[in-house]
């Protein structure tokens, strides 16, 4: 079974976690922003509706 040879320092561990959390926070902000723009009706984002998807399958 593979095991790490040396213990990872707390600063390296914390740095990796901070990077991971920062990426997640940016994606969450983008998703909220997109959702708000779609709900407000001012969106230029084009997304498929149920009618369009069913026409493509036929």
């Amino acid at each position: 079974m593979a095991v790490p040879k040396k213990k990872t320092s707390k600063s390296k561990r914390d740095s990796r976690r901070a990077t991971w959390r920062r990426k997640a926070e940016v994606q969450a902000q983008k998703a909220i922003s997109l959702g708000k723009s779609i709900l407000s009706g001012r969106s230029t984002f084009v997304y498929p509706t149920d009618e369009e998807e069913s026409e493509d399958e036929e």
Side-chain angles (χ1 to χ4, degrees):
M1 198 161 78
V3 294
K5 296 200 182 317
K6 293 183 178 179
K7 184 175 180 180
T8 303
S9 68
K10 289 181 181 179
S11 64
K12 187 172 274 191
R13 177 201 67 194
D14 292 344
S15 174
R16 287 185 181 138
R17 287 184 182 175
T19 302
W20 183 83
R21 287 190 175 117
R22 198 173 309 114
K23 286 182 178 180
E25 188 174 340
V26 168
Q27 289 299 315
Q29 287 174 347
K30 286 182 181 180
I32 288 173
S33 175
L34 179 60
K36 284 181 179 179
S37 69
I38 289 172
L39 287 174
S40 70
R42 293 181 290 148
S43 172
T44 57
F45 176 75
V46 178
Y47 56 97
T49 60
D50 291 337
E51 297 92 30
E52 290 175 357
E53 289 177 357
S54 62
E55 289 174 3
D56 293 339
E57 292 173 358
E58 292 175 0

